Amino acid sequence: MVLKYLIQKEFLQIRRNAFLPRLIVMFPIIIMCVMPWVMSMEVKNIVAIVVDNDHSTLSRQLTGAIESSNYFVFGGQKGSYKEALANVETGKADLVLVIPAHYGRDVALHRPTQVLVAANAVNGTKGSMGAAYMSQIVTAKTNPSLEAMQHGAETLLLYNKHQNYKLYMIPALFALVMMLMTGFLPTLNIVGEKETGTIEQINVTPVSKWTFILSKLIPYWLIALFVITACLLLAWGVYGLTPAGPVWLIYVLAMLLALFFSSFGLVVSNYSSNMQQAIFVMWFFIVCIMLLSGLFTPVRSMPDWAYLTTYVNPMHYFIDAIRTVYVRGGNFASVRSQLWPLLAIGSLMAVWAVKSYKKNG
Amino acid sequence: MNAIEVSHISRQYGKVKALSDVSFSVSKGEVFGLIGPDGAGKTTLFRILATLLLADKGKARVDGYDVVEQMRDVRRRVGYMPGRFSLYQDLTVQENLEFFATLFGTTIDEGYDSIKAIYSQIEKFRHRRAGALSGGMKQKLALSCALIHSPSVLLLDEPTTGVDPVSRKELWDMLGLLKERQITVVASTPYLNEVCRCERVAFLDHGEVRGIGSPEAILKQFSHIFNPPAIEHAHAPKAEQENIIEVNHLVKAFGNFHAVDDISFSVKRGEIFGFLGANGAGKTTAMHMLTGLSQPTSGKGRVAGYDIKTEYEQIKRHIGYMSQRFSLYEDLTVSENIHLFAGIYGMDKKAIKAKTDEMLKRLDFEAHRDDLVASLPLGWKQKLAFSVSIIHEPGVVFLDEPTGGVDPATRRQFWELIYEAAALGITVFVTTHYMDEAEYCDRISIMVDGKISALGTPDELKSRFNQPDMDHVFTHLARQTTRSSD
Amino acid sequence: MKQFALFVIKEARHIVRDKRTMLILFGMPTVMMLLFGFAISTDVKNVRTLIVATQPDRQMQQAADRLSASTYFTMVGTAASSSEAERLIRSGRADMAIVYHRNPTSPQGRFLFMTDGADPNMAQQWATYAQQVMAGRQTAGVSTKMLYNPQMKSAYNFVPAIMGMLLMLVCAMMTSVSIVREKERGTMEVLLVSPVRPLVVVIAKAVPYLVLAFAILIIILLMARHVLGVPIAGSLFWIVAVSIVYILLALSLGLLISCVAKTQLVALLASAMLLLMPVVMLSGMLFPVESMPRVLQWIAAVIPPRYYIDAMRKLMIMGAGIADIAREAGILVGMTILFLIAALAKFNSRLD
């Protein structure tokens, strides 16, 4: 009952603010409309230059294979390796294939010979993928065993038949928007009341700690509910993507994530003495949680010590689970091992939020 | 040449007329008072003179310079202390002072004489952060910061709000000294004895100048506003009532500093208890312990039958509290604030509605039901805050300087509300720096240096210390102080 | 001049007094460098692989041995059928399953690589890697040279990006609060009425943060060099010079936000939340700008960190000279001036 009045107050305050309602509505929309295009890590447009010192049939075949490949944008031929390298240095090309003299003859005679693939690896993904594709093209042309292997092999990409990178990144964006919205807003809430002095008035009323903290959390859960709905609708409306698994499961996951981040925001807010401090501390944790969660980079590529942190990283559980549901079409059973830890970490944080709120200093 | 020349100034905020056609002049070296009820437009006028706001119509010159065209020249010559002067909370007392001194191109040593009377009282805490000072001490520091340089014109917007009577006298003595140095002072104040120390005053009401003249003449002309008839002191609690507040040897220590140092007293149900003391004597700290906002270091206390150390959550059900800082939500409307606090105390919808209507009616606020609290004048906010703090008809209500900065007429209305509450059996525990208000209390205590140095009815105290009124009693006791901080 | 110095001291005191913020300020670059340096990578590693084999087979066994011997793959067992494998991949317990079909007409069987295509990029790479590993060491016909980054460490890519992100956000966040806080607390009124010029107020606010940001830059460079072992190939002078321009740009942007925002809440959300997205997403830090649609490339063109990160990559990693980054440096200088002018124009010397 008391809770109702307190929640009403929180909403009124949000509504009265000239900035917050716009932020809450516009932020998810802009992020969902813009970011999927940004996050497409489809490594396309790798500009490849060929330095052909051989001019044989094979070298022309190779050049032709590069020109017709989907991976590469053919950047033309250059007279010398040095000239080609200058192009890489100025960013005009990403990769150089150097075919040595007499290459075609040597291959035919099974003499040891090598082409050189020089890739600009400053962008790691682009460099290594470019080099890998290039060597695949080259070896397929020259190495019968691998060619045989490739002929005998078939790759089946499950769940994402059209190799749509957006499909992979959309759940990550849900996570990102949810995290920022339900993390930063509550962080500024209690510390803001401390700065204006109204918290003192609340502290002399018989409102219990639980009621007070809940009244701060529930509005952000409702905002989270709005945000996730908006995100799902936008993904469907703009990109034609719909969850492969049950929608209710996505809502459950989103609410659990909101539970964690809003509670965490309040914990930070409780301990902070001013808004600047609060936002800095929160920002630090959000960036760490985000980077170590597997949102952008695979967690299994991390070294063991870093991998261990994912066991307490709620974002990691969330992103794993939501990809399972949204992309792979998993059901409750497939995400059970993520749901429980997420619930546990979230509840723990909520309890901490209540405990750290001091009515009687 | 006149130091200040204001001709036909008008200023509007949206539909609200803050100033309309205001004209007056102040001669060099004059101490000029701006008086009037809350929302009369005093602050707007100060801001226009300080070049912070542009007037819609009219011209103003300060020290011979136009406030719009020659903004830089004016700013070089003006000292200004806004009503809500704020210090840098994380800088120490001395650092604050040093900063403002340098800001105005002077040093603490050079300006020391102009602030000595006030600053010497807080000087011993110069290494403490401003945020850790008590409310009144912050005000003193702010004053010191505003006075450190010697401008040609000094604009002071309610400089003494929250400052205890003794320090206020000292401040005005100091302002008198400035006259000798040909410094013009324009100040606003809600205290009548301060009004009397101006040479001339302008009475502003609803953005219009109603009269300019000597303080005596103006006060007489508008006596219905400035000297409302004293409230009938008919209220007297029955002697057989039980104690609702009992305090025994209460101590609050911060490190080895005893902010509240072994105080004992009791308050009877239905009593109006005045809790007086100089700035930094420990009033707010004591009140925080009684309201369950902080834990006592040692000693015992019971409020409404509950122990303040262990049962503070129960206490909160039976008390109301109105803090020094105005603490309703400024971004909610009047009725939303009432709803919120009524809801917090568990009233049901019907009761809240009835209560809201009744309260707005009593306060004559019906037209402002949906106004944002932020847009109300201070005195109105305070009346509203008080009404909200007793919405649940608590046993005791704690009021921490509820009338600071409020004009006399509104203060009188405020005390009528207090009497109404007391008549309902609500015990009122109030701190104030207005000594006329002290006379309204059934009993008062005066705190000095964390201890209670006098306790009794106003008449008892006056006769015990052989003084004509409470003002003198207070000054007599407060002069014994050896420290000034909590 | 004395006033200016005092202003700077005052601002510095605000910063130093807030211990927790200080801790974060210096902790952030350290932790981020360690994370990016040692924790985060996009390399193919520990891909959880299942074998689906109906009957034991020599060729399959050889393939499995080769796979488990490589660091790219971790064998997580066998599945009885493709559908079981699919179920395991679906619930996130494996990344790839290799199904072997015997070919009755030839000794050479057929492999089916079932990969978790959620991330199509990685899925493709896994399959490519697996084929190469299973085919044995037969790619000797290609010698691969990773230019500028011989060890293929992600750190080479991330160090300039971290610099771009941290300097931008720290500076913008710190300064964005500084003016609006004085507005909110009321001290601005007094500052305005004082004889001090607004320019002095604004510049003095920026100076301590400049020093602070410089300290952060030094921490990043030292850690990059000595902890992550990233060689600083270019001239240190130009690295520092360009960085200072960039810091000034970030400070001006923060001041602009501060002059426009009415409350701390707005200033902080704008600088911490709204700014974070374009800086991380559009700067080319995590996602290459070239692969974005054209419209977004235009938007990315006005994101300052983009130019800074580009310039730093060229200067630090490739060892390019100042002439090669003249364009980036020029754009950064131009943007700095633009933001600073905007901030000063927006700085209101009156209250409304």
Side-chain angles (χ1 to χ4, degrees):
Chain A
M1 194 57 198
V2 174
L3 192 60
K4 193 187 95 190
Y5 288 97
L6 285 168
I7 293 172
Q8 216 169 32
K9 169 215 134 201
E10 294 295 327
F11 271 111
L12 282 170
Q13 286 190 300
I14 292 173
R15 213 183 65 199
R16 288 284 145 71
N17 191 300
F19 179 69
L20 286 180
R22 273 185 258 176
L23 179 81
I24 291 166
V25 175
M26 293 310 290
F27 190 73
I29 295 180
I30 293 178
I31 295 292
M32 287 303 294
C33 289
V34 173
M35 290 308 163
W37 302 98
V38 174
M39 293 168 98
S40 91
M41 282 268 254
E42 289 156 46
V43 180
K44 278 184 197 152
N45 308 333
I46 302 176
V47 180
I49 292 183
V50 176
V51 179
D52 188 354
N53 297 320
D54 185 30
H55 303 289
S56 64
T57 322
L58 183 62
S59 75
R60 269 190 289 277
Q61 273 178 0
L62 263 177
T63 312
I66 292 165
E67 273 179 84
S68 62
S69 141
N70 295 328
Y71 299 131
F72 298 108
V73 173
F74 185 57
Q77 297 210 10
K78 288 281 174 283
S80 71
Y81 179 54
K82 221 177 137 199
E83 205 181 318
L85 220 51
N87 269 308
V88 174
E89 199 140 330
T90 51
K92 284 192 198 113
D94 302 291
L95 188 134
V96 184
L97 174 72
V98 185
I99 304 169
H102 315 299
Y103 180 69
R105 193 191 63 197
D106 290 344
V107 169
L109 296 174
H110 294 285
R111 285 201 202 146
T113 181
Q114 274 190 331
V115 295
L116 173 70
V117 175
N120 180 353
V122 170
N123 177 338
T125 317
K126 211 167 173 179
S128 61
M129 285 192 75
Y133 287 144
M134 187 58 88
S135 59
Q136 220 182 340
I137 291 179
V138 175
T139 39
K141 279 267 167 286
T142 55
N143 187 332
S145 127
L146 185 66
E147 201 167 19
M149 175 99 203
Q150 277 178 353
H151 275 294
E154 198 184 337
T155 304
L156 175 66
L157 263 64
L158 297 167
Y159 317 122
N160 193 352
K161 294 194 179 54
H162 306 290
Q163 296 196 32
N164 186 351
Y165 203 72
K166 288 192 191 83
L167 179 59
Y168 179 63
M169 273 307 177
I170 288 263
L173 274 180
F174 291 176
L176 212 59
V177 174
M178 293 283 297
M179 175 174 76
L180 294 177
M181 294 295 284
T182 59
F184 278 130
L185 297 184
T187 308
L188 293 176
N189 189 309
I190 289 182
V191 73
E193 283 214 36
K194 275 190 210 166
E195 281 194 22
T196 53
T198 43
I199 193 111
E200 204 171 275
Q201 196 67 48
I202 294 290
N203 284 349
V204 291
T205 64
V207 170
S208 77
K209 288 167 111 182
W210 274 101
T211 315
F212 183 69
I213 292 295
L214 266 179
S215 78
K216 297 276 176 195
L217 289 176
I218 290 173
Y220 298 107
W221 295 344
L222 294 178
I223 289 174
L225 210 57
F226 164 78
V227 168
I228 191 72
T229 310
C231 285
L232 283 168
L233 287 176
L234 284 165
W236 172 67
V238 182
Y239 307 102
L241 297 174
T242 47
V247 175
W248 66 267
L249 204 51
I250 290 178
Y251 274 95
V252 170
L253 286 167
M255 286 299 112
L256 289 177
L257 191 73
L259 170 71
F260 171 81
F261 275 107
S262 52
S263 309
F264 187 46
L266 289 187
V267 169
V268 172
S269 204
N270 276 331
Y271 284 107
S272 299
S273 49
N274 61 59
M275 289 170 119
Q276 189 187 22
Q277 197 181 68
I279 207 97
F280 261 82
V281 173
M282 192 63 186
W283 197 82
F284 176 73
F285 282 108
I286 277 198
V287 170
C288 287
I289 288 175
M290 178 174 84
L291 289 176
L292 288 172
S293 65
L295 210 56
F296 305 117
T297 55
V299 282
R300 253 167 292 281
S301 300
M302 298 198 290
D304 294 343
W305 64 267
Y307 186 74
L308 281 177
T309 66
T310 61
Y311 286 107
V312 292
N313 188 338
M315 192 53 136
H316 167 239
Y317 291 113
F318 177 78
I319 196 72
D320 252 14
I322 197 159
R323 276 184 180 142
T324 298
V325 177
Y326 195 92
V327 185
R328 301 177 192 122
N331 53 21
F332 181 75
S334 10
V335 295
R336 209 179 315 168
S337 55
Q338 279 99 30
L339 268 172
W340 298 127
L342 201 54
L343 179 65
I345 297 171
S347 316
L348 203 71
M349 208 35 99
V351 171
W352 190 7
V354 174
K355 293 282 171 224
S356 60
Y357 166 55
K358 294 266 177 294
K359 273 191 91 178
N360 174 281
Chain B
M1 187 189 70
N2 283 330
I4 292 175
E5 197 85 61
V6 176
S7 56
H8 309 292
I9 288 273
S10 297
R11 166 80 202 198
Q12 267 187 314
Y13 295 106
K15 281 194 194 124
V16 184
K17 272 194 177 159
L19 292 173
S20 65
D21 201 28
V22 170
S23 303
F24 65 89
S25 59
V26 181
S27 54
K28 203 158 179 59
E30 196 176 359
V31 178
F32 189 84
L34 271 182
I35 57 175
D38 300 317
K42 288 170 292 182
T43 298
T44 308
L45 187 55
F46 273 117
R47 286 182 169 167
I48 289 174
L49 291 178
T51 72
L52 283 172
L53 278 181
L54 294 174
D56 298 333
K57 265 186 262 158
K59 288 227 172 279
R61 298 181 85 77
V62 173
D63 215 25
Y65 296 96
D66 188 280
V67 293
V68 180
E69 268 113 56
Q70 291 158 307
M71 179 178 89
R72 297 247 140 258
D73 297 291
V74 173
R75 288 185 177 183
R76 253 192 285 278
R77 283 165 181 80
V78 158
Y80 169 56
M81 177 177 169
R84 203 177 55 112
F85 189 96
S86 187
L87 300 154
Y88 295 104
Q89 311 280 327
D90 50 350
L91 298 188
T92 65
V93 169
Q94 190 170 358
E95 284 162 357
N96 265 295
L97 193 60
E98 202 175 74
F99 174 73
F100 284 103
T102 319
L103 195 63
F104 295 108
T106 178
T107 62
I108 297 184
D109 290 338
E110 265 177 60
Y112 192 80
D113 283 343
S114 9
I115 56 163
K116 197 171 150 199
I118 300 276
Y119 185 58
S120 59
Q121 297 171 27
I122 46 172
E123 203 175 0
K124 55 195 107 148
F125 303 107
R126 61 178 178 271
H127 295 304
R128 190 180 290 188
R129 290 187 192 188
L133 295 178
S134 75
M137 304 218 354
K138 280 184 194 157
Q139 196 68 11
K140 284 181 186 171
L141 176 57
L143 254 177
S144 306
C145 291
L147 295 176
I148 184 92
H149 68 319
S150 313
S152 346
V153 176
L154 195 54
L155 305 171
L156 303 172
D157 191 359
E158 299 199 351
T160 52
T161 300
V163 177
D164 63 68
V166 178
S167 309
R168 280 195 340 247
K169 282 197 193 76
E170 285 161 357
L171 168 83
W172 279 86
D173 291 343
M174 240 171 52
L175 292 182
L177 293 177
L178 294 179
K179 186 177 170 58
E180 290 165 20
R181 288 154 53 192
Q182 283 291 300
I183 295 172
T184 313
V185 177
V186 180
S188 65
T189 175
Y191 294 93
L192 293 184
N193 50 4
E194 293 182 5
V195 173
C196 294
R197 301 191 63 160
C198 300
E199 288 166 72
R200 283 193 309 143
V201 295
F203 171 50
L204 228 61
D205 190 18
H206 288 95
E208 287 174 48
V209 178
R210 307 272 159 161
I212 299 178
S214 71
E216 295 75 21
I218 294 289
L219 289 185
K220 201 166 158 226
Q221 189 184 346
F222 300 100
S223 62
H224 59 287
I225 292 168
F226 292 104
N227 269 321
I231 302 172
E232 282 299 305
H233 196 170
H235 174 75
K238 293 179 202 89
E240 67 272 19
Q241 286 283 14
E242 82 275 37
N243 288 338
I244 192 155
I245 302 176
E246 264 177 77
V247 172
N248 281 309
H249 304 290
L250 199 61
V251 175
K252 178 79 183 185
F254 299 103
N256 50 20
F257 177 76
H258 287 220
V260 170
D261 195 3
D262 193 13
I263 59 170
S264 303
F265 63 91
S266 58
V267 179
K268 287 202 185 325
R269 188 178 290 280
E271 208 173 8
I272 299 176
F273 189 80
F275 198 57
L276 275 52
N279 296 132
K283 298 184 302 282
T284 303
T285 313
M287 215 181 240
H288 277 179
M289 286 189 284
L290 294 180
T291 51
L293 280 175
S294 75
Q295 280 284 344
T297 309
S298 68
K300 277 203 161 59
R302 294 185 84 76
V303 172
Y306 298 100
D307 190 282
I308 57 169
K309 211 163 185 167
T310 53
E311 297 167 306
Y312 53 85
E313 282 303 317
Q314 277 90 330
I315 288 178
K316 289 173 183 174
R317 275 177 204 289
H318 298 94
I319 60 165
Y321 175 68
M322 181 180 160
S323 73
Q324 212 168 14
R325 287 201 278 176
F326 177 74
S327 50
L328 294 183
Y329 289 91
E330 299 246 325
D331 49 356
L332 300 187
T333 66
V334 171
S335 67
E336 284 163 0
N337 264 296
I338 299 173
H339 272 256
L340 170 65
F341 284 99
I344 283 178
Y345 286 104
M347 294 169 69
D348 64 49
K349 239 184 170 141
K350 240 169 88 188
I352 293 176
K353 196 175 169 331
K355 193 91 195 172
T356 309
D357 291 340
E358 182 224 310
M359 187 191 290
L360 292 176
K361 199 165 169 158
R362 198 180 53 216
L363 294 173
D364 206 9
F365 265 23
E366 279 139 318
H368 301 282
R369 171 189 280 266
D370 296 320
D371 287 1
L372 284 187
V373 165
S375 68
L376 299 178
L378 177 71
W380 294 27
K381 287 181 188 170
Q382 298 302 83
K383 281 197 286 183
L384 178 64
F386 174 69
S387 304
V388 167
S389 71
I390 57 165
I391 196 161
H392 55 299
E393 286 156 18
V396 200
V397 62
F398 291 87
L399 311 171
D400 195 357
E401 286 183 35
T403 50
V406 177
D407 65 78
T410 315
R411 278 203 295 131
R412 189 181 184 282
Q413 292 164 7
F414 194 93
W415 273 87
E416 276 166 5
L417 292 176
I418 291 184
Y419 276 113
E420 276 173 36
L424 290 173
I426 297 175
T427 310
V428 179
F429 188 97
V430 58
T431 71
T432 180
H433 287 310
Y434 294 91
M435 289 305 128
D436 56 332
E437 291 184 356
E439 309 256 5
Y440 294 157
C441 299
D442 295 322
R443 276 195 312 145
I444 47 179
S445 73
I446 299 181
M447 260 184 106
V448 176
D449 289 353
K451 292 186 192 313
I452 290 181
S453 59
L455 183 76
T457 66
D459 291 333
E460 275 169 25
L461 293 183
K462 278 183 267 186
S463 62
R464 190 186 314 162
F465 296 101
N466 202 14
Q467 301 288 348
D469 55 23
M470 279 313 299
D471 204 12
H472 286 82
V473 173
F474 185 88
T475 312
H476 172 78
L477 287 169
R479 285 258 154 85
Q480 302 164 349
T481 184
T482 52
R483 71 158 213 242
S484 32
S485 167
D486 54 15
Chain C
M1 201 53 221
K2 202 176 154 216
Q3 282 176 349
F4 181 74
L6 195 90
F7 251 105
V8 173
I9 293 171
K10 182 210 111 192
E11 290 300 324
R13 278 184 180 139
H14 287 315
I15 303 170
V16 177
R17 291 282 148 83
D18 193 344
K19 295 273 180 307
R20 217 174 286 168
T21 306
M22 278 289 270
L23 190 73
I24 295 285
L25 277 180
F26 289 107
M28 194 126 69
T30 317
V31 171
M32 292 262 263
M33 288 297 279
L34 291 176
L35 285 188
F36 274 110
F38 299 108
I40 293 163
S41 87
T42 48
D43 305 340
V44 174
K45 200 185 139 196
N46 295 340
V47 178
R48 294 164 304 171
T49 311
L50 282 171
I51 298 288
V52 184
T54 33
Q55 294 160 305
D57 177 89
R58 200 187 55 78
Q59 205 190 357
M60 184 67 238
Q61 193 53 49
Q62 186 195 17
D65 288 345
R66 280 181 178 163
L67 285 175
S68 63
S70 85
T71 57
Y72 303 133
F73 300 96
T74 310
M75 307 309 288
V76 288
T78 55
S81 66
S82 315
S83 63
E84 196 201 328
E86 196 270 346
R87 196 182 54 76
L88 284 169
I89 295 175
R90 182 191 297 272
S91 57
R93 258 162 263 169
D95 303 308
M96 178 168 75
I98 299 174
V99 189
Y100 181 70
H101 295 287
R102 262 198 238 195
N103 192 338
T105 56
S106 117
Q108 183 88 21
R110 289 179 67 84
F111 287 103
L112 172 67
F113 297 89
M114 273 169 61
T115 54
D116 175 5
D119 180 351
N121 247 353
M122 286 316 257
Q124 280 288 1
Q125 281 207 55
W126 297 335
T128 312
Y129 273 60
Q131 284 170 24
Q132 290 187 358
V133 169
M134 282 158 64
R137 248 181 264 101
Q138 281 166 344
T139 50
V142 180
S143 92
T144 308
K145 189 168 169 188
M146 290 299 176
L147 295 170
Y148 320 114
N149 186 356
Q151 291 147 292
M152 265 315 290
K153 269 199 196 165
S154 310
Y156 287 69
N157 195 21
F158 284 131
V159 169
I162 296 177
M163 286 163 70
M165 178 178 94
L166 269 187
L167 292 178
M168 181 93 221
L169 287 165
V170 166
C171 292
M173 272 160 73
M174 296 286 295
T175 43
S176 72
V177 202
S178 67
I179 288 177
V180 81
R181 185 171 47 198
E182 301 220 19
K183 280 193 230 167
E184 229 177 56
R185 297 204 180 148
T187 39
M188 204 50 166
E189 265 182 75
V190 186
L191 292 191
L192 285 177
V193 176
S194 78
V196 176
R197 292 190 158 269
L199 185 69
V200 176
V201 178
V202 172
I203 303 281
K205 284 198 170 291
V207 171
Y209 299 113
L210 179 68
V211 175
L212 205 73
F214 192 71
I216 292 175
L217 174 72
I218 302 291
I219 293 180
I220 296 178
L221 286 179
L222 283 177
M223 285 195 67
R225 179 74 193 80
H226 296 288
V227 182
L228 304 187
V230 177
I232 295 172
S235 127
L236 197 61
F237 172 80
W238 284 115
I239 292 176
V240 171
V242 173
S243 297
I244 287 180
V245 170
Y246 182 67
I247 292 170
L248 288 175
L249 183 146
L251 291 173
S252 316
L253 182 62
L255 288 173
L256 179 62
I257 294 176
S258 206
C259 289
V260 175
K262 287 207 168 56
T263 59
Q264 283 194 72
L265 179 88
V266 175
L268 282 171
L269 286 178
S271 58
M273 195 166 144
L274 294 185
L275 202 59
L276 179 70
M277 293 311 283
V279 167
V280 172
M281 299 293 178
L282 292 175
S283 65
M285 172 183 175
L286 288 170
F287 308 102
V289 178
E290 307 88 275
S291 49
M292 294 175 199
R294 190 140 311 261
V295 182
L296 284 175
Q297 292 196 25
W298 292 336
I299 297 174
V302 297
I303 307 286
R306 186 180 162 205
Y307 298 100
Y308 177 70
I309 293 173
D310 259 9
M312 282 299 120
R313 273 183 188 155
K314 287 182 188 165
L315 269 180
M316 277 179 65
I317 313 292
M318 300 187 190
I322 183 69
D324 296 306
I325 57 148
R327 190 179 77 99
E328 283 88 352
I331 291 172
L332 288 176
V333 171
M335 281 181 165
T336 309
I337 294 169
L338 203 74
F339 282 136
L340 201 60
I341 289 174
L344 286 175
K346 278 282 169 191
F347 184 89
N348 203 336
S349 59
R350 294 182 206 273
L351 282 182
D352 52 354

